[in-house]
Amino acid sequence: DVKVTQSSRYLVKRTGEKVFLECVQDMDHENMFWYRQDPGLGLRLIYFSYDVKMKEKGDIPEGYSVSREKKERFSLILESASTNQTSMYLCASSSEGRARNSPLHFGNGTRLTVT
Amino acid sequence: GIQVEQSPPDLILQEGANSTLRCNFSDSVNNLQWFHQNPWGQLINLFYIPSGTKQNGRLSATTVATERYSLLYISSSQTTDSGVYFCAVETLGGGTSYGKLTFGQGTILTVHP
């Protein structure tokens, strides 16, 4: 079974802090994604990566950056956390690079609270 | 961008009942997936189904791509089926989409014993 592991289940940070959310997958998947989920807004794509060191903006990249130095690891960075970034963050991965026809597998999520 | 509408928004069932969830989308798609989010927040992939019909135990799904909709059937529902069901799609065209999915708002299913 595919395993996508997010480093923290719950996280509380202060406004202005730099926050790192880590995600690791164990299936050698090319594609990795970061979504956030908010009540009433559903899941929205922040960033994704289709290869090591490659990244593309999703629908709501403002205030975030990402890093993919190794194939199995995809990090989401909040440069200066703000209260409107309080949310559930979900990491996901899928295989087959440009093939676009692979199931998406999610981690358990990180519930981030910014105070 | 593509619009994904799911119906009904909420559904309450007694254990053992059957149900049908619907997903309409506004453009041609090459990728459609159904997910179940359990009460603890975990999202589980149920089906990858851009067209045709698939079955997995009590669950089955049908996508009619030409008419831009997909249906998820749950038979003999159980309390463990409770949660939120999401449909997600990716549009045709563009060589750099890489499986980037747009999610619907979800159907909240509650199954009572």
Side-chain angles (χ1 to χ4, degrees), chain B residues 30-45:
Chain B
N30 68 328
N31 185 345
L32 187 147
Q33 302 185 32
W34 283 97
F35 298 86
H36 174 223
Q37 187 170 38
N38 65 26
W40 297 271
Q42 175 68 46
L43 271 157
I44 304 296
N45 191 295

Side-chain angles (χ1 to χ4, degrees), chain A residues 25-81:
Chain A
Q25 50 92 5
D26 66 356
M27 287 301 292
D28 202 35
H29 283 173
E30 288 82 4
N31 303 327
M32 296 189 74
F33 306 83
W34 276 105
Y35 286 86
R36 64 177 282 179
Q37 185 177 18
D38 301 286
L41 297 175
L43 278 86
R44 294 177 292 167
L45 181 65
I46 304 171
Y47 265 98
F48 68 101
S49 168
Y50 54 89
D51 203 349
V52 175
K53 296 190 186 296
M54 306 305 289
K55 60 186 179 185
E56 288 203 17
K57 294 179 179 179
D59 300 317
I60 51 164
E62 296 78 20
Y64 303 94
S65 62
V66 290
S67 173
R68 192 157 181 209
E69 296 298 317
K70 294 184 177 181
K71 191 175 186 180
E72 67 271 19
R73 185 179 298 269
F74 192 35
S75 303
L76 180 69
I77 304 156
L78 285 65
E79 298 291 343
S80 177

Side-chain angles (χ1 to χ4, degrees), chain A residues 9 35-38 86-90 108-111:
Chain A
R9 187 78 173 109
Y35 286 86
R36 64 177 282 179
Q37 185 177 18
D38 301 286
T86 292
S87 186
M88 171 69 90
Y89 289 88
L90 293 155
N108 286 338
T110 295
R111 188 166 293 281

